[in-house]
């Protein structure tokens, strides 16, 4: 293409979830939720970045429609920043509201990282999975002020509504009306307000 007409944008986001399968949410965290078991990959007190896919899709559309500012930009989408306790509490609440009430209460556990590393010696996918463990051990969040400066205020689905829709899509709870309330950029998502920081991955 002609010089100066191609724009490159790198948009970083947290772990994807919602609108189907193939995420940490369904492959690990709520995999055995129907049996009253939840698995969290890291320490419960560490902040983690999440991206609800329908919200992220709207961001892509907004970026594509925004006026070009420079030839190359790196941007972040904040999404939802939640520590493990907050995420599991929301999930337990939504699963309970959806009719799942474990007789002995919810059981929480972590991933067998030692086993994952061992299997990774012969299984490339598990090896790469083990290399990403640090993202569960180190608190992080994404600052999307730069993104909002281009697209305008970002509309994000509240975490409880997003998780409810994700659980419905996974068939764990019955379909129903998901709350329409949204928060604009700058509002606190989950418990992340005091923990916002720049992140590069």
């Amino acid at each position: 293409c002609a010089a100066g007409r191609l724009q490159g944008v790198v948009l970083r986001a947290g772990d994807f979830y919602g609108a189907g399968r193939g995420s940490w949410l369904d492959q690990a965290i709520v995999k055995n939720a129907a049996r009253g078991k939840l698995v969290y990959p890291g320490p419960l007190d560490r902040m983690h970045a999440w991206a609800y896919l329908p919200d992220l899709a709207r961001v892509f559309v907004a970026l594509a429609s925004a006026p070009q500012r420079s030839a190359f930009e790196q941007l972040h989408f904040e999404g939802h920043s939640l520590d493990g306790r907050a995420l599991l509490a929301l999930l337990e609440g939504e699963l309970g509201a959806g009719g799942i009430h474990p007789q002995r209460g919810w059981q929480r556990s972590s991933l067998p990282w030692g086993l994952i590393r061992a299997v990774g010696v012969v299984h490339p996918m598990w090896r790469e999975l083990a290399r990403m463990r640090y993202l569960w051990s180190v608190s992080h969040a994404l600052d999307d002020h730069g993104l909002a400066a281009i697209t305008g205020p970002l509309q994000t689905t509240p975490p409880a509504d997003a998780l409810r829709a994700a659980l419905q899509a996974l068939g764990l709870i019955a379909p129903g009306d998901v709350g329409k309330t949204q928060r604009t950029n700058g509002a606190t998502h989950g418990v992340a307000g005091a923990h916002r920081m720049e992140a590069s991955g």
Side-chain angles (χ1 to χ4, degrees), residues 61 83 114 118 138 143 148:
V61 173
D83 65 21
V138 178
D143 186 333

Side-chain angles (χ1 to χ4, degrees), residues 15 24 28-29 38-48 50 82-85 87-88 108-113 132-139:
D15 278 317
W24 279 101
I29 297 174
L38 297 176
V39 173
Y40 193 74
L44 296 179
D45 62 346
R46 310 297 162 80
M47 196 69 60
H48 192 78
W50 295 93
L82 300 164
D83 65 21
R85 289 191 183 92
L87 178 71
L88 294 186
R108 297 177 175 183
S109 61
S110 185
L111 281 182
W113 287 106
M132 302 303 289
R133 182 183 181 181
Y134 77 95
L135 289 172
W136 296 99
S137 301
V138 178
S139 289

Side-chain angles (χ1 to χ4, degrees), residues 71-153:
F72 177 75
E73 292 182 284
Q74 299 186 62
L75 303 169
H76 298 141
F77 172 60
E78 179 181 359
H80 299 140
S81 302
L82 300 164
D83 65 21
R85 289 191 183 92
L87 178 71
L88 294 186
L90 286 171
L91 286 170
E92 289 171 2
E94 295 302 330
L95 289 163
I100 300 180
H101 303 284
Q103 272 191 330
R104 299 182 179 181
W106 289 100
Q107 300 178 45
R108 297 177 175 183
S109 61
S110 185
L111 281 182
W113 287 106
L115 175 62
I116 291 173
R117 284 195 300 270
V119 175
V121 173
V122 296
H123 196 300
M125 179 65 74
W126 284 41
R127 180 173 63 248
E128 297 307 312
L129 187 66
R131 287 178 176 172
M132 302 303 289
R133 182 183 181 181
Y134 77 95
L135 289 172
W136 296 99
S137 301
V138 178
S139 289
H140 64 280
L142 297 170
D143 186 333
D144 59 13
H145 283 90
L147 175 62
I150 298 173
T151 64

Side-chain angles (χ1 to χ4, degrees), residues 52 54-55 58 80 155-159 161-162 178-179 181-183 189:
Y52 181 51
D55 289 344
R58 285 192 290 271
H80 299 140
Q155 298 293 322
T156 57
T157 306
D161 290 349
V178 177
T181 305
Q182 293 183 321
R183 296 181 182 182
H189 303 296

Side-chain angles (χ1 to χ4, degrees), residues 1-6:
C1 65
R5 294 186 180 180
L6 179 65

